[in-house]
Amino acid sequence: MNPSLSNSRIIDESRQGEPFYSTDSETLTSPELKQFYIESYGCAMNFSDSEIVASILTECKYSPTREIEQADLVLLNTCSIREKAEETVRKRLRTIDQLKKQKPGMTVGILGCMAERLKKTLLEEEKLVDLVVGPDAYRDLPNLLNQVDDGDKGINVLLSREETYADINPVRLQSNGVTAFISIMRGCDNMCSFCVVPFTRGRERSRDPFTIVSEAEHLFGAGYRDITLLGQNVDSYKWIHPETQEVYSFARLLELVAQVHPDLRVRFSTSHPKDMLDDVLHMMAKYENICKYIHLPVQSGNSRILSLMNRTYDRAWYEDRIRAIRKIVPDCAISSDIIAGFCTETEEEHQDTLSMIKWADYSMSYMFFYSERPGTLAARKYKDDIPEDVKKRRLNEIVQVQNEVSRANLARDIGKTFKVLIEGDSKKSDQDFKGRNSQNKMVIFKKIPGVQPGDYVNVLIEDATSATLMGRAV
Ligand code: SF4
C-alpha cells in the first residue's frame, strides 16, 4: 500500500532533550531540494518507521514527493513476515527498474525487515538496488547516501540494543490529521518458532516514557485525537529511570499518556497473551479515553500447536486472559491473529482453532496460512508438511467462521449509541463521515452540519455488516 503524503502542522521544538515536533510532509516539499519517495509494506511498525526515515531525510535536505517519477531517491520499507510479502517487493523492483533506466541518477534503497533478513545478498541479487538499510540503522542514511553519491553501494544492517529513535520527530506520512502511531519500543524477545521478527528487528528495548508523553502532547496540540502506542509486544514494555531506578511498566505508561488530555483516545498494539497482566486491564477500565479494544493474537486454538509455535502459553492460559478482559473491561472488543496449517497440525487441532474463534467472539482477525521463513526455529526443526491446498482450505474455513462471528458481533451493536471520532469522509460517499468507536469498529453515518474530522459525535447504530457499523448522529 502506497503511503500518500499528508497533512498536519508544525509544532515547537524548543524543549531540548525532547525536541519533538511532527511535521507535515506537504510543508517540506520544495522542488529545489532532492526528492525522496517512500513506500511502506507490512505492519504499522514499518509505517511508523517510514515517518522516522522521512524526518531523517528532511534533516539532510531531501524533500518528500508523492510522484515516484519525480524522485531522486526511491525507498521501499519492506516486510518479511511471509514469502508473499517479499515476492511483492521483488515484483515492485521490476517496475522501478524500468523507471531507473529512464532516470539513471535515481537511487533505489531497500529498508526494513527484508533488508535485515537478506543483507548484502539483496545487492548481489538486485543490481538496481544501491542501498540496504536495516530497521536499526536509519540514522546512518545521510552517510550511506554520500557513499552512493561517491559511486559505491551503501549497506548498514547492524541491529542495536539501544536504538529507539526517541529524539527523532516523525514526519507524519499519509496522515488524516486525526490518528497517528507512536512507537514505544522496538524488537521482540519472544522466539515464536514461525516468526522472523526477532531476527529482523533484534532484542526488545523500551523508549523513554517522557519522550512518548511529549510526542502525544504535541500530536494533541496539532489536532490529533487518536494515537496508537506501537510495539511488537507492548505488554513487556519496561523502562527504568537512569537516576531514580523507578520502573515504568506498560500500565504506568498507559496512564501517563491517558492523562495528556481526556479527548485524546489512546490505543495500543500488539499485546501478547503471556505478558498481558490485569494491571493493564484495570488501567483501561479507569480511563474512558483508553480505548476498549485489545488485539490479542492467539495464532492457534490448540495447545500442542501453540507449544510447537513456542507461544509460551496454552489454550487454558489464553482463555483465562479473555475471561479477565471480559470481567474487568466488559465492553472491550478483541481481535486476533491466526495461522492455519502450521507444521503437523491435524484436522482436530484445526477444529480447535475454529472453536476458539467462536468462543472468544473476536470482532475481527488477521488470518494467514503458515509460510515457512528461512532461519526461524520452525524452519530448522519442523517439516512444513501440510499440503498447500489443505492450508488454503483450512484458512478458508477460518475466514468463514470469523466472518460469521464478526457479523453476529457487530449485529449486537444495533440499537446502541457510540461516541465516534470522525476520521474523514467515507470511502463510498462524501455525503457520509467515517470514524471509529472506542472498540475500534468503523462507523459510517450521514454528515451533519457543524462537525468535522477530529470531532466526536454520538451515533445510534441502525445496521451492521461483518466489518462496518452504520447509523445516524444523535
Ligand atoms: S511475539 Fe512472536 S509473533 Fe510477535 S513479533 Fe515477537 S516473535 Fe514474532
Side-chain angles (χ1 to χ4, degrees), residues 81 188 190-192 194-198 232-233 272 299 311:
I81 207 78
C188 186
N190 297 310
M191 289 301 281
C192 302
F194 53 80
C195 186
V196 289
V197 172
Q232 310 291 350
N233 171 9
H272 195 293
Q299 307 297 5
R311 288 290 288 169

Side-chain angles (χ1 to χ4, degrees), residues 328-439:
I328 304 169
V329 197
D331 57 344
C332 189
I334 304 170
S335 63
S336 199
D337 291 351
I338 296 164
I339 294 176
F342 188 70
C343 315
T344 72
E345 183 190 65
T346 64
E347 273 309 317
E348 291 69 41
E349 291 164 342
H350 166 57
Q351 291 302 322
D352 289 342
T353 298
L354 298 179
S355 69
M356 171 59 86
I357 298 171
K358 293 174 188 157
W359 181 86
D361 185 29
Y362 298 127
S363 56
M364 60 83 72
S365 291
Y366 299 97
M367 302 159 279
F368 304 92
F369 62 71
Y370 172 59
S371 167
E372 184 182 82
R373 305 308 293 133
T376 57
L377 203 62
R380 284 182 273 130
K381 286 177 72 177
Y382 314 127
K383 193 164 174 306
D384 182 7
D385 58 355
I386 308 296
E388 183 142 326
D389 61 334
V390 175
K391 284 181 181 178
K392 286 186 174 159
R393 189 260 302 160
R394 288 180 183 171
L395 178 59
N396 288 341
E397 288 172 7
I398 287 170
V399 171
Q400 218 178 321
V401 168
Q402 181 58 68
N403 282 345
E404 285 156 19
V405 167
S406 299
R407 192 175 293 285
N409 180 305
L410 272 70
R412 287 199 300 277
D413 292 331
I414 295 173
K416 293 180 185 166
T417 297
F418 290 106
K419 183 177 158 189
V420 172
L421 172 62
I422 303 173
E423 293 179 22
D425 288 359
S426 142
K427 268 205 213 98
K428 289 208 180 104
S429 156
D430 58 11
Q431 302 307 304
D432 297 340
F433 274 137
K434 69 172 181 185
R436 283 174 294 156
N437 64 6
S438 179
Q439 286 73 19

